C-alpha cells in the first residue's frame, strides 16, 4: 500500500468511529477482571518482600491489553472503509473555427477610441481570444491588400503575440474590405468545424482591392460561413493624425465614413449581425455579445474511481488478536 495516499484519505462510513468510545470500557473491564484473578494471602508483615524483584511476566502482562486495543481500533477503522479517490474528466467539445479580420489602414489611428482605434481593436480582440478556450482562431489583417497574420490555431498564446505585433503601415494603405473578407474565407474553407465564423472589423469604405466585397460575400455564403461585421468610429468627425509637408504630425478632424449598408448586407446574408462601435466600451460590449452568440458546446463528464484501504487494517487487527491469544496461553498463561 502507498502510504502517501493516506494524505487524501476519506471514510465511507465514519459513524463506526463512535465504537472507539468502548476502549475506556475495555480498559476498565480488564482492570476489574485482573483483580478478580488475584489471590489473597494474609501475612503479618510485608517488610521481607520489599526487596524481591518483579517478574518480567508481570511487567509485560499489560501488553495483552495493548494488543487487544490495537486490534479493536484497527478493526473499527477498517469498518469505516478508508478510501482514496481518483477523478478523471472526459471533455467533449464542439469547437468553432473563428477568423478575426481586422482593418489596419491609416484611418485606424484615429483617436475617437483610446488610445486609438487600432490599439482598442487589438485589446478587445485579445480579451475575446481569452474567452474562447475551446475554439481554433486565426487572424487576417487588411488595408489596401490582405494578409494572413496567423492561421487558425488552438495555440492562443501564439495568436495573441501576432495580435500584439499588428500596426498600421504593414500593408499598402487603403481599405480593401473584399480582400479582407475573401482571405478570411480562404482560411476557413477547409475547416471541418461544425460552425465557422468571421469577425470583420473596419472603419472605412471599400476603395481598393482585387476582390469586390459582394463577390467575397457570395464565397462566404457558399462555404456557409457566418460573418459578424463591426464598424469602428464615432458619429461625425474624429481626430486623426496627418503628416504635414514638413514631415510633422498634426491632428485633424476627419469625417467618419463607414459603409454601413454593405456591412449590414454581409452580416444579414450570412446569418451574422452588424455592430457599430463608437467608443471603447461599445467595442468591448460588441465582442462580448458575439462571444455569447457563438458559444461552443462543451460537455465535461467526471469519472471518480475509489481505492479501498481497509484490507491492511483488517490484517493488523487479525495479527494483533492472534498474537494476543498466543501470548495469553503461552508466556502469560495463568495457573488455575
Amino acid at each position: 500500500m502507498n502510504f502517501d495516499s493516506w494524505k487524501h484519505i476519506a471514510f465511507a462510513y465514519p459513524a463506526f468511529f463512535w465504537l472507539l468510545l468502548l476502549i475506556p470500557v475495555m480498559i476498565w473491564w480488564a482492570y476489574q477482571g485482573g483483580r478478580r484473578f488475584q489471590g489473597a494471602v494474609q501475612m503479618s508483615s510485608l517488610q521481607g518482600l520489599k526487596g524481591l524483584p518483579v517478574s518480567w511476566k508481570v511487567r509485560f502482562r499489560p501488553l495483552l491489553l495493548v494488543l487487544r486495543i490495537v486490534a479493536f481500533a484497527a478493526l473499527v477503522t477498517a469498518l469505516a472503509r478508508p478510501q482514496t479517490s481518483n477523478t478523471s474528466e472526459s471533455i467533449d467539445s464542439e469547437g468553432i473555427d473563428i477568423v478575426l479580420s481586422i482593418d489596419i489602414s491609416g484611418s485606424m489611428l484615429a483617436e475617437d477610441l483610446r488610445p486609438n482605434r487600432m490599439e482598442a481593436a487589438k485589446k478587445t480582440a485579445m480579451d475575446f481570444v481569452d474567452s474562447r478556450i475551446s475554439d481554433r482562431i486565426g487572424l487576417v489583417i487588411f488595408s489596401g491588400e490582405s494578409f494572413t497574420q496567423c492561421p487558425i490555431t488552438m495555440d492562443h498564446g501564439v495568436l495573441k503575440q501576432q495580435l500584439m505585433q499588428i500596426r498600421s503601415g504593414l500593408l499598402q494603405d487603403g481599405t480593401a474590405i473584399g480582400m479582407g473578407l475573401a482571405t478570411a474565407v480562404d482560411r476557413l474553407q477547409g475547416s471541418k468545424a461544425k460552425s465557422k465564423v468571421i469577425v470583420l472589423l473596419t472603419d472605412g469604405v471599400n476603395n481598393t482591392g482585387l476582390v469586390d466585397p459582394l463577390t467575397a460575400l457570395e464565397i462566404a455564403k457558399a462555404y456557409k460561413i457566418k460573418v459578424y461585421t463591426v464598424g469602428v468610429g464615432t458619429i461625425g468627425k474624429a481626430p486623426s493624425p496627418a503628416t504635414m509637408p514638413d514631415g510633422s504630425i498634426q491632428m485633424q478632424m476627419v469625417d467618419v465614413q463607414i459603409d454601413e449598408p454593405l456591412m449590414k448586407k454581409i452580416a444579414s446574408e450570412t446569418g451574422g449581425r452588424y455592430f457599430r462601435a463608437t467608443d471603447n466600451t461599445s467595442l468591448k460590449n460588441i465582442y462580448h455579445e458575439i462571444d455569447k452568440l457563438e458559444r461552443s458546446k462543451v460537455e465535461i463528464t467526471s469519472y471518480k474511481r475509489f481505492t479501498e484501504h481497509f484490507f491492511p487494517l483488517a490484517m493488523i487487527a487479525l495479527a494483533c488478536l492472534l498474537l494476543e491469544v498466543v501470548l495469553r496461553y503461552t508466556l502469560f498463561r495463568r495457573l488455575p
Side-chain angles (χ1 to χ4, degrees), residues 16-175:
F16 276 103
F17 284 117
W18 288 103
L19 293 174
L20 295 178
L21 295 177
L22 294 175
I23 291 179
V25 177
M26 293 171 60
I27 296 174
W28 176 83
W29 185 264
Y31 176 73
Q32 292 297 324
R35 294 183 61 181
R36 288 197 303 270
F37 280 106
Q38 290 178 355
V41 178
Q42 291 186 350
M43 301 184 68
S44 59
S45 174
L46 299 176
Q47 191 67 30
L49 301 176
K50 288 184 177 181
L52 294 177
V54 179
S55 169
W56 66 269
K57 291 187 178 182
V58 175
R59 291 181 182 274
F60 287 98
R61 189 169 187 82
L63 178 62
L64 298 177
L65 178 60
V66 171
L67 288 173
R68 182 170 295 185
I69 291 174
V70 170
F72 179 74
L75 183 60
V76 168
T77 306
L79 289 173
R81 281 187 61 189
Q83 53 189 213
T84 53
S85 62
N86 179 29
T87 303
S88 60
E89 293 183 343
S90 174
I91 301 177
D92 182 18
S93 172
E94 290 183 1
I96 300 173
D97 281 355
I98 303 172
V99 172
L100 305 177
S101 185
I102 299 177
D103 188 346
I104 63 166
S105 58
S107 59
M108 286 290 288
L109 297 178
E111 296 182 2
D112 45 352
L113 277 72
R114 299 297 178 186
N116 56 50
R117 296 172 185 170
M118 178 78 69
E119 294 304 316
K122 288 163 59 175
K123 173 64 170 60
T124 50
M126 282 192 282
D127 292 341
F128 178 76
V129 169
D130 286 336
S131 69
R132 312 296 301 192
I133 57 175
S134 63
D135 299 324
R136 298 197 309 164
I137 305 176
L139 175 63
V140 168
I141 57 176
F142 68 93
S143 52
E145 52 188 344
S146 60
F147 177 74
T148 301
Q149 183 79 357
C150 181
I152 52 175
T153 179
M154 282 294 295
D155 191 339
H156 292 178
V158 170
L159 175 64
K160 290 169 67 177
Q161 287 180 356
Q162 295 300 315
L163 263 168
M164 291 169 54
Q165 292 175 9
I166 63 175
R167 65 184 187 278
S168 181
L170 288 177
L171 303 173
Q172 177 184 337
D173 203 15
T175 305

Side-chain angles (χ1 to χ4, degrees), residues 161-201:
Q161 287 180 356
Q162 295 300 315
L163 263 168
M164 291 169 54
Q165 292 175 9
I166 63 175
R167 65 184 187 278
S168 181
L170 288 177
L171 303 173
Q172 177 184 337
D173 203 15
T175 305
I177 296 175
M179 293 286 290
L181 179 56
T183 303
V185 170
D186 185 58
R187 292 295 89 196
L188 290 170
Q189 65 174 334
S191 170
K192 303 298 183 183
K194 188 173 182 179
S195 182
K196 294 174 283 189
V197 173
I198 293 173
V199 180
L200 176 68
L201 182 146

Side-chain angles (χ1 to χ4, degrees), residues 228-293:
Y228 290 95
T229 54
V230 182
V232 181
T234 189
I235 307 298
K237 295 180 180 291
S240 182
T243 303
M244 298 293 102
D246 61 357
S248 62
I249 304 295
Q250 292 187 9
M251 299 302 294
Q252 295 183 345
M253 297 304 292
V254 178
D255 290 328
V256 177
Q257 296 180 339
I258 299 174
D259 193 346
E260 289 194 312
L262 174 64
M263 296 290 99
K264 292 177 180 178
K265 181 179 179 64
I266 293 173
S268 64
E269 293 193 13
T270 58
R273 284 178 57 184
Y274 169 70
F275 301 91
R276 180 68 182 268
T278 57
D279 54 32
N280 293 63
T281 301
S282 61
L283 181 60
K284 181 178 179 180
N285 290 338
I286 287 167
Y287 272 99
H288 182 65
E289 183 68 19
I290 296 173
D291 181 48
K292 289 194 298 182
L293 290 170

